[in-house]
Amino acid sequence: MALLKIKFSQQRRVRLAQGLWLLSWLAVMCGAFIFCLGVYLKIELLRRDEVMENTEIHVVPNLLMLVGLASIGANWVASRVCQDSLDASRFPRWKVLLLGWYAVAALLCCLLLAVVVLSYVLQGRLEESLKVGLRNGIRFYKDTDVPGRCFQKETIDRLQMEFRCCGNNNFKDWFEVQWVSNRYLDFTSQEVKDRIRSNVDGRYLLDGVPFSCCNPASPRPCLQNQLTDSRAHYNYEYQSEELNLYSRGCRQALTDYYMGLMNSTGPGVLSVILIQLSVLLSMRYLQTAVEGAMALETPEGESEGYILEKDVKATYADVKAKALDLLKFAQVDPASEAAGAEEGEKEAEATAKAATPPPAS
Amino acid sequence: MALLVVKFDLKKRVKLAQTVWFMYWFAVLAGILVLSLGLFFKIELRKRSELMDNNESHFLPNVLITMGLLACGINAFGGKVCYDSLDPTKFAKWKPVLKTFLVFCMVFNALLILTALLCFIMRIPLQFTLAEGLKNGMKYYKDTDTPGRCYMKRTLDLMQMEFRCCGNDNYRDWFEIQWVSNRYLDFSAKEVKDRIGSNVDGQYLMDGVPFSCCNPSSPRPCIQYQMTNNTAHYSYDHYTEELNVWRRGCRDALLSYYGGIMNTIGALVLLVTMLEVAVTIGLQYVDTSLSTLANPEDIESESEGFLLEKTVKETFTDIMANMKAMGKGAKVEEGGEEGVATVS
């Protein structure tokens, strides 16, 4: 008893072929869309490459690009099959390919699902990578004369201005790092000497932040230095001042941005999965209906289309039997040699037995 | 002797009509393009209208929007006429209108050329509007507690960061105005009293700039205050320091931004004008080729298409004569009435 049988007249078969042809071209465009999505995501990740420590998150756009290209190819093949399906002389050559095509299409759907899952699972790894990358960026902020790090200052400044964030977790991260280069410190002045002596590593630490942390929405001109000292500025209360600097940390800002990007692509990817699945099912119906029609005496007559020839259990048993057969075939050769040797022995015994009775008689 | 005569048989006529119909649809798209360019420019002007004192002239985008709509209408009508030209019965109903339509098209093309010229010329009034607007904007930078002006600070800061500019002509413009609000000045401090006493208007002027003037490419942390005092900062010479703050003035930056937009729009409008001229010429040929059939009953007969019925000089003298006749016609009526009045 076949699974999900549907009767197809000649007209319905033609309609199915035409509809599937259109659907497969739609699926080709969806594949192109997925590819472009992957490219866009990759470019966005590469733009902020300098504040990320590892590239584990790149598996998401890489998979998207791969699946997009494979989907374009597979669905183009499907459209060719549709074009040939109504021509009885050209359809049989696709028969062998179709089994492989089903496997590829199913694999693509699974990969797309995996991408959606991965984009949620890898959030923690992304945060870790950003944490380390930003920490290094803040540490090397002052090294504008060290080759290889001289652009860290500009990168971090532009990042903080664009994403409206300050520091790693918040603006206090800048208090723990020396972010003013030694070239611009007057080591003869008392203030500098005091600050350098005030900590073990001899670093010039101050309770100030770079200008890129400043919030333009603040009603007063930006206060960057002596932030913890309420008396250093007129009408300033350190604990209650909210608008002066950006309150969000850059790690949080970047994670939110990338998670937002990947979440907004979620519905698109899910609908592409649905389209691919419907192409797969329609192709199976078309294949079985056309093959059924070709086997009939009157090719214009009705035929049946189904998804599986027998029901799920019977098909599973069939597949298992076939697989075991294949395995047994591999084992048959050593077994047949042993069997041949046994037979030879038996013959020898038989001839020996035949030889012995005559002396009795 | 007609200008640029071309012989047409049926096949050629059909091909001409199809080509011109196709070009008309392109021209409709071009009209939509002009319309969207006008809308885009209008939106860009509105976005920064605060910096132009809400005084900016929306004349150019309005003209672009009108011309875009007109182009869509004219080209759709022309396309319909071309489509009907292959069927003699349908074409017969358009024939009387066609001459006036072609004249109208030529006037429209001239207006399009004027619009393109306008795009290049409007830069000059924009320059003055920007200069005025930015000067006033900087004056209101500190008024974050005055309703109606409280967002000027944020607007100016964001603009200076986005366009990488400082002040009107350069960063020294900030030295001439008070950009720190009185709410944040301690009037009992000596420094404040000195600065206020140092000028006639009693303003707190200082040689410092807001943080949005800072250049992130500078190798040293930004120096915003006491910029002209070399001894206030270690290893600092304000004459040779180039990377500390943006050196460009915001008027220049905004002008080159808007100038770029207007130049692009002007170039695109010129291209659209060329397309419009081409379709007008095409329609003239379609019209004349269908009017000069050798045998009016037989649509398969040969015909001639031309650009102008007589040469350019003769056409010009004809038009002048027509206009004079119309002018005399008006005068004759008046004279006739007077004559009648005097007779009676």
Side-chain angles (χ1 to χ4, degrees), chain B residues 177-180 185 191-192 195-196 202-206:
Chain B
I177 58 164
Q178 176 182 349
W179 54 272
V180 185
L185 291 174
E191 184 237 349
V192 176
R195 284 192 189 270
I196 288 184
Q203 285 192 316
Y204 181 80
L205 303 178
M206 50 184 212

Side-chain angles (χ1 to χ4, degrees), chain A residues 141-142 144 153-154 157-158 161 164 179-188 211-212 214-222 224 234-235 246, chain B residues 141-142 144 153-154 157-158 161 164 179-187 211-212 214-222 224-225 234-235 246:
Chain A
Y141 184 86
K142 64 179 183 355
T144 45
K153 177 181 179 294
E154 191 175 345
D157 277 336
R158 286 202 195 284
M161 289 201 287
R164 308 191 189 184
W179 53 272
V180 185
S181 175
N182 284 336
R183 285 177 295 158
Y184 309 115
L185 291 175
D186 182 8
F187 285 97
T188 56
F211 76 93
S212 43
C214 287
N215 187 356
S218 163
R220 88 183 284 168
C222 188
Q224 289 174 246
Y234 182 69
N235 198 5
Y246 293 124
Chain B
Y141 184 86
K142 64 180 183 354
T144 46
K153 177 183 179 294
R154 196 178 80 165
D157 279 336
L158 288 174
M161 291 200 288
R164 307 187 185 187
W179 54 272
V180 185
S181 175
N182 284 336
R183 285 176 294 158
Y184 309 115
L185 291 174
D186 181 9
F187 286 95
F211 76 94
S212 44
C214 287
N215 184 355
S217 312
S218 164
R220 87 183 286 169
C222 187
Q224 289 174 245
Y225 300 106
Y234 184 68
S235 178
W246 301 117

Side-chain angles (χ1 to χ4, degrees), chain B residues 190-252:
Chain B
K190 186 174 182 308
E191 184 237 349
V192 176
K193 281 196 262 199
D194 279 344
R195 284 192 189 270
I196 288 184
S198 74
N199 65 88
V200 184
D201 308 308
Q203 285 192 316
Y204 181 80
L205 303 178
M206 50 184 212
D207 53 348
V209 293
F211 76 94
S212 44
C213 282
C214 287
N215 184 355
S217 312
S218 164
R220 87 183 286 169
C222 187
I223 295 172
Q224 289 174 245
Y225 300 106
Q226 294 173 299
M227 287 174 74
T228 50
N229 184 359
N230 285 349
T231 51
H233 313 279
Y234 184 68
S235 178
Y236 173 68
D237 180 2
H238 87 271
Y239 289 113
T240 55
E241 186 67 51
E242 282 181 347
L243 284 175
N244 188 35
V245 292
W246 301 117
R247 303 202 71 82
R248 205 172 169 194
C250 286
R251 191 186 58 218
D252 275 344

Side-chain angles (χ1 to χ4, degrees), chain B residues 67-332:
Chain B
M67 298 301 266
L69 287 172
L70 268 179
C72 282
I74 288 178
N75 294 326
F77 180 71
K80 177 99 178 72
V81 170
C82 271
Y83 190 71
D84 285 347
S85 71
L86 298 168
D87 185 356
T89 44
K90 282 195 199 164
F91 188 66
K93 65 177 179 179
W94 295 123
K95 262 213 83 59
V97 199
L98 216 47
K99 277 267 174 308
T100 38
F101 177 66
L102 278 167
V103 171
F104 191 60
C105 277
M106 285 201 299
V107 172
F108 178 69
N109 291 342
L111 284 177
L112 264 182
I113 295 180
L114 277 178
T115 309
L117 275 176
L118 205 68
C119 286
F120 295 116
I121 292 179
M122 284 296 272
R123 208 185 152 108
I124 299 168
L126 190 67
Q127 193 164 358
F128 292 117
T129 316
L130 276 173
E132 246 340 276
L134 279 171
K135 212 160 62 184
N136 290 337
M138 281 166 60
K139 257 198 306 177
Y140 304 143
Y141 184 86
K142 64 180 183 354
D143 296 333
T144 46
D145 50 351
T146 313
R149 292 189 206 148
C150 50
Y151 283 115
M152 188 52 88
K153 177 183 179 294
R154 196 178 80 165
T155 310
L156 268 180
D157 279 336
L158 288 174
M159 183 204 53
Q160 289 192 147
M161 291 200 288
E162 186 182 334
F163 286 90
R164 307 187 185 187
C165 59
C166 188
N168 208 339
D169 293 317
N170 54 42
Y171 63 90
R172 284 171 207 278
D173 297 322
W174 288 107
F175 298 173
E176 295 157 18
I177 58 164
Q178 176 182 349
W179 54 272
V180 185
S181 175
N182 284 336
R183 285 176 294 158
Y184 309 115
L185 291 174
D186 181 9
F187 286 95
S188 55
K190 186 174 182 308
E191 184 237 349
V192 176
K193 281 196 262 199
D194 279 344
R195 284 192 189 270
I196 288 184
S198 74
N199 65 88
V200 184
D201 308 308
Q203 285 192 316
Y204 181 80
L205 303 178
M206 50 184 212
D207 53 348
V209 293
F211 76 94
S212 44
C213 282
C214 287
N215 184 355
S217 312
S218 164
R220 87 183 286 169
C222 187
I223 295 172
Q224 289 174 245
Y225 300 106
Q226 294 173 299
M227 287 174 74
T228 50
N229 184 359
N230 285 349
T231 51
H233 313 279
Y234 184 68
S235 178
Y236 173 68
D237 180 2
H238 87 271
Y239 289 113
T240 55
E241 186 67 51
E242 282 181 347
L243 284 175
N244 188 35
V245 292
W246 301 117
R247 303 202 71 82
R248 205 172 169 194
C250 286
R251 191 186 58 218
D252 275 344
L254 279 173
L255 194 63
S256 70
Y257 173 69
Y258 279 117
I261 293 180
M262 289 199 283
N263 286 349
T264 316
I265 293 181
L268 283 172
V269 170
L270 276 177
L271 285 176
V272 169
T273 314
M274 288 200 281
L275 181 63
E276 289 285 334
V277 168
V279 290
T280 311
I281 292 177
L283 189 64
Q284 166 76 348
Y285 271 112
V286 167
D287 179 31
T288 50
S289 68
L290 283 171
S291 319
T292 59
L293 284 170
N295 180 2
E297 302 300 311
D298 179 15
I299 54 166
E300 299 212 4
S301 57
E302 284 205 349
S303 66
E304 278 182 359
F306 48 79
L307 199 56
L308 288 174
E309 208 166 339
K310 304 163 191 163
T311 63
V312 183
K313 256 193 191 172
E314 286 173 20
T315 320
F316 189 59
T317 42
D318 269 357
I319 294 174
M320 293 303 283
N322 274 347
M323 279 171 55
K324 274 191 197 154
M326 269 201 295
K328 270 200 192 136
K331 274 194 199 160
V332 157

